[in-house]
Protein backbone atom coordinates (compact mmCIF):
# COMPACT_ATOMS: atom_id res chain seq x y z
CA UNK A 1 0.00 0.00 0.00
CA UNK A 2 1.28 3.45 -0.94
CA UNK A 3 1.90 6.02 1.79
CA UNK A 4 -0.19 8.56 -0.14
CA UNK A 5 -3.25 7.62 -2.21
CA UNK A 6 -4.78 9.92 -4.82
CA UNK A 7 -7.43 9.12 -7.40
CA UNK A 8 -5.77 9.63 -10.80
CA UNK A 9 -9.04 10.57 -12.50
CA UNK A 10 -9.36 11.85 -15.14
CA UNK A 11 -11.83 14.42 -13.83
CA UNK A 12 -13.75 16.60 -16.27
CA UNK A 13 -16.06 19.43 -15.15
CA UNK A 14 -17.72 22.45 -16.79
CA UNK A 15 -16.29 25.94 -16.39
CA UNK A 16 -17.47 27.64 -13.22
CA UNK A 17 -17.93 24.40 -11.26
CA UNK A 18 -16.47 23.78 -7.82
CA UNK A 19 -13.76 21.12 -7.97
CA UNK A 20 -12.79 18.90 -5.06
CA UNK A 21 -9.51 16.99 -5.13
CA UNK A 22 -8.50 14.64 -2.33
CA UNK A 23 -5.69 12.51 -0.94
CA UNK A 24 -5.47 10.06 1.90
CA UNK A 25 -2.30 9.02 3.67
CA UNK A 26 -1.19 6.40 6.14
CA UNK A 27 1.81 7.93 7.92
CA UNK A 28 0.77 9.97 10.96
CA UNK A 29 4.23 11.58 11.04
CA UNK A 30 3.43 13.81 8.07
CA UNK A 31 3.27 17.44 9.18
CA UNK A 32 3.58 19.50 6.00
CA UNK A 33 1.00 19.22 3.24
CA UNK A 34 1.27 20.71 -0.21
CA UNK A 35 -0.57 20.83 -3.49
CA UNK A 36 1.44 21.11 -6.69
CA UNK A 37 0.00 21.88 -10.12
CA UNK A 38 1.63 20.41 -13.22
CA UNK A 39 0.84 21.54 -16.74
CA UNK A 40 1.61 19.23 -19.63
CA UNK A 41 5.35 18.88 -20.35
CA UNK A 42 6.22 21.15 -17.42
CA UNK A 43 7.53 20.57 -13.91
CA UNK A 44 5.18 20.82 -10.93
CA UNK A 45 4.74 24.21 -9.27
CA UNK A 46 3.65 24.78 -5.69
CA UNK A 47 0.05 25.90 -5.42
CA UNK A 48 -0.82 25.63 -1.73
CA UNK A 49 1.00 24.76 1.49
CA UNK A 50 -0.52 23.90 4.87
CA UNK A 51 1.14 22.99 8.14
CA UNK A 52 -0.69 20.40 10.29
CA UNK A 53 -4.49 20.49 10.45
CA UNK A 54 -6.71 23.34 9.32
CA UNK A 55 -7.79 25.34 6.33
CA UNK A 56 -5.95 27.77 4.10
CA UNK A 57 -7.48 29.97 1.44
CA UNK A 58 -5.77 31.71 -1.46
CA UNK A 59 -8.06 33.33 -3.98
CA UNK A 60 -10.17 30.63 -5.63
CA UNK A 61 -8.21 27.84 -3.93
CA UNK A 62 -8.80 26.34 -0.47
CA UNK A 63 -6.67 23.61 1.08
CA UNK A 64 -7.96 21.53 3.99
CA UNK A 65 -6.10 19.09 6.20
CA UNK A 66 -7.79 16.67 8.60
CA UNK A 67 -5.03 14.84 10.43
CA UNK A 68 -7.46 12.78 12.51
CA UNK A 69 -8.79 11.23 9.31
CA UNK A 70 -5.47 11.40 7.44
CA UNK A 71 -7.27 13.20 4.62
CA UNK A 72 -6.42 16.34 2.69
CA UNK A 73 -8.44 18.27 0.12
CA UNK A 74 -8.04 21.03 -2.42
CA UNK A 75 -11.10 22.99 -3.52
CA UNK A 76 -11.17 25.16 -6.62
CA UNK A 77 -14.03 27.65 -6.90
CA UNK A 78 -15.23 29.21 -10.14
CA UNK A 79 -13.02 26.83 -12.11
CA UNK A 80 -11.46 28.15 -15.33
CA UNK A 81 -10.13 26.33 -18.42
CA UNK A 82 -6.65 27.55 -17.38
CA UNK A 83 -7.00 25.35 -14.27
CA UNK A 84 -6.81 22.28 -16.51
CA UNK A 85 -3.69 20.44 -15.29
CA UNK A 86 -2.57 17.54 -13.12
CA UNK A 87 -2.83 18.24 -9.40
CA UNK A 88 -0.42 16.40 -7.10
CA UNK A 89 -0.69 16.27 -3.35
CA UNK A 90 2.59 16.00 -1.46
CA UNK A 91 3.54 15.70 2.17
CA UNK A 92 6.58 15.66 4.38
CA UNK A 93 7.69 14.75 7.88
CA UNK A 94 9.23 17.33 10.19
CA UNK A 95 12.98 17.36 9.65
CA UNK A 96 12.81 15.39 6.42
CA UNK A 97 13.64 16.57 2.93
CA UNK A 98 11.91 13.81 0.99
CA UNK A 99 8.50 14.89 -0.23
CA UNK A 100 6.09 12.00 -0.77
CA UNK A 101 3.74 12.60 -3.67
CA UNK A 102 0.35 11.21 -4.61
CA UNK A 103 -0.20 9.84 -8.09
CA UNK A 104 -1.77 13.08 -9.31
CA UNK A 105 -5.30 13.82 -10.54
CA UNK A 106 -5.70 14.92 -14.13
CA UNK A 107 -8.30 17.71 -14.26
CA UNK A 108 -9.98 19.20 -17.34
CA UNK A 109 -12.23 22.27 -17.17
CA UNK A 110 -14.50 22.45 -20.20
CA UNK A 111 -15.47 25.92 -21.55
CA UNK B 1 17.79 32.10 -16.43
CA UNK B 2 15.91 32.43 -13.18
CA UNK B 3 14.51 28.91 -13.02
CA UNK B 4 15.80 25.34 -12.78
CA UNK B 5 17.25 24.25 -16.09
CA UNK B 6 17.47 20.62 -17.23
CA UNK B 7 19.12 19.15 -20.28
CA UNK B 8 18.49 17.46 -22.55
CA UNK B 9 14.72 17.91 -22.62
CA UNK B 10 14.37 14.61 -24.47
CA UNK B 11 16.72 11.65 -24.70
CA UNK B 12 16.21 8.48 -26.70
CA UNK B 13 18.71 5.72 -26.10
CA UNK B 14 19.17 2.04 -26.75
CA UNK B 15 18.93 -0.56 -24.03
CA UNK B 16 22.32 -1.11 -22.44
CA UNK B 17 23.70 2.37 -23.13
CA UNK B 18 24.70 4.87 -20.42
CA UNK B 19 22.99 8.26 -20.16
CA UNK B 20 23.75 11.48 -18.31
CA UNK B 21 21.08 13.97 -17.32
CA UNK B 22 22.01 17.47 -16.24
CA UNK B 23 20.40 19.88 -13.79
CA UNK B 24 21.30 23.52 -13.23
CA UNK B 25 19.51 24.75 -10.08
CA UNK B 26 18.47 28.25 -9.12
CA UNK B 27 21.52 30.25 -8.10
CA UNK B 28 21.96 30.32 -4.33
CA UNK B 29 19.83 27.23 -3.67
CA UNK B 30 21.82 24.81 -1.54
CA UNK B 31 19.36 21.91 -1.77
CA UNK B 32 18.86 19.89 -4.94
CA UNK B 33 16.56 16.93 -5.55
CA UNK B 34 16.03 14.37 -8.28
CA UNK B 35 12.62 12.76 -8.79
CA UNK B 36 11.33 10.31 -11.39
CA UNK B 37 7.83 10.40 -12.87
CA UNK B 38 6.68 7.32 -14.74
CA UNK B 39 3.62 7.37 -16.98
CA UNK B 40 0.51 7.82 -14.87
CA UNK B 41 2.50 7.77 -11.66
CA UNK B 42 3.32 10.36 -9.07
CA UNK B 43 6.78 11.64 -8.42
CA UNK B 44 9.22 9.10 -6.98
CA UNK B 45 12.07 10.51 -4.89
CA UNK B 46 15.56 9.51 -6.01
CA UNK B 47 18.19 11.57 -4.20
CA UNK B 48 18.70 14.77 -2.20
CA UNK B 49 21.82 16.95 -2.15
CA UNK B 50 22.77 19.54 0.43
CA UNK B 51 25.67 21.38 -1.13
CA UNK B 52 27.84 18.72 -2.76
CA UNK B 53 26.88 15.99 -0.28
CA UNK B 54 24.02 13.52 -0.68
CA UNK B 55 22.67 12.78 2.81
CA UNK B 56 19.69 10.90 1.37
CA UNK B 57 20.11 8.66 -1.64
CA UNK B 58 17.55 6.13 -0.46
CA UNK B 59 15.40 6.43 -3.58
CA UNK B 60 17.99 5.34 -6.14
CA UNK B 61 16.42 2.14 -7.54
CA UNK B 62 19.64 0.21 -8.22
CA UNK B 63 23.41 0.59 -8.36
CA UNK B 64 23.06 1.49 -12.05
CA UNK B 65 21.89 4.91 -10.86
CA UNK B 66 24.32 7.49 -9.50
CA UNK B 67 24.40 11.24 -9.11
CA UNK B 68 26.88 13.90 -8.25
CA UNK B 69 26.86 17.61 -7.64
CA UNK B 70 29.85 19.86 -8.08
CA UNK B 71 30.55 23.38 -6.87
CA UNK B 72 27.31 23.38 -4.94
CA UNK B 73 25.56 23.95 -8.24
CA UNK B 74 25.18 21.70 -11.28
CA UNK B 75 24.16 18.09 -10.76
CA UNK B 76 24.40 15.09 -13.08
CA UNK B 77 22.28 11.96 -12.81
CA UNK B 78 23.89 8.98 -14.55
CA UNK B 79 22.11 5.79 -15.48
CA UNK B 80 24.36 2.95 -16.58
CA UNK B 81 23.29 0.05 -18.77
CA UNK B 82 19.83 1.51 -19.27
CA UNK B 83 16.79 -0.76 -19.21
CA UNK B 84 13.34 -0.21 -20.70
CA UNK B 85 11.86 0.23 -17.23
CA UNK B 86 14.10 3.29 -16.82
CA UNK B 87 11.90 5.15 -19.33
CA UNK B 88 10.34 8.07 -17.46
CA UNK B 89 10.52 11.82 -16.95
CA UNK B 90 13.41 12.72 -14.67
CA UNK B 91 12.70 15.91 -12.75
CA UNK B 92 15.17 18.04 -10.87
CA UNK B 93 14.19 20.55 -8.19
CA UNK B 94 16.01 22.97 -5.95
CA UNK B 95 15.16 24.81 -2.77
CA UNK B 96 16.84 27.49 -0.74
CA UNK B 97 18.12 25.52 2.25
CA UNK B 98 16.51 22.07 2.30
CA UNK B 99 14.04 22.72 5.13
CA UNK B 100 11.04 20.38 5.37
CA UNK B 101 8.50 23.12 4.62
CA UNK B 102 10.36 24.80 1.76
CA UNK B 103 8.95 25.34 -1.68
CA UNK B 104 10.58 23.17 -4.31
CA UNK B 105 11.24 24.75 -7.70
CA UNK B 106 11.13 22.16 -10.46
CA UNK B 107 12.66 22.10 -13.90
CA UNK B 108 10.67 20.89 -16.91
CA UNK B 109 12.33 17.50 -16.79
CA UNK B 110 14.17 15.16 -19.14
CA UNK B 111 11.96 12.68 -20.97
CA UNK B 112 14.03 9.49 -21.21
CA UNK B 113 12.99 6.78 -23.64
CA UNK B 114 14.90 3.49 -23.65
CA UNK B 115 14.27 1.43 -26.77
Amino acid sequence: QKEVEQDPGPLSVPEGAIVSLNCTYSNSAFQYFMWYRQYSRKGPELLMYTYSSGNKEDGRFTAQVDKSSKYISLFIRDSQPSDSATYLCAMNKNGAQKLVFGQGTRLTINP
Amino acid sequence: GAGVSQSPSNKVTEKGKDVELRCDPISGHTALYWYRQSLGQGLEFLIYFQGNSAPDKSGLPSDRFSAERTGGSVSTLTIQRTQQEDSAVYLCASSLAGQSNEKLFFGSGTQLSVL
Side-chain angles (χ1 to χ4, degrees), chain B residues 16-28:
Chain B
K17 300 281 189 182
D18 297 353
V19 295
E20 283 189 354
L21 313 179
R22 177 189 167 104
C23 173
D24 202 340
I26 292 173
S27 178

Side-chain angles (χ1 to χ4, degrees), chain B residues 9 12-13 19 23 29-30 35 38-39 42 46-47 52-53 57 60 64 67-69 79 84 89-90 92 102:
Chain B
S9 55
V12 180
T13 190
V19 295
C23 173
H29 281 193
T30 64
Y35 283 83
S38 302
L39 190 63
L46 298 178
I47 188 168
N52 292 336
S53 300
K57 52 179 78 171
L60 295 178
R64 295 186 297 105
E68 66 174 11
R69 188 179 184 195
I79 309 174
Q84 289 182 334
V89 176
Y90 289 81
C92 175
E102 275 184 353

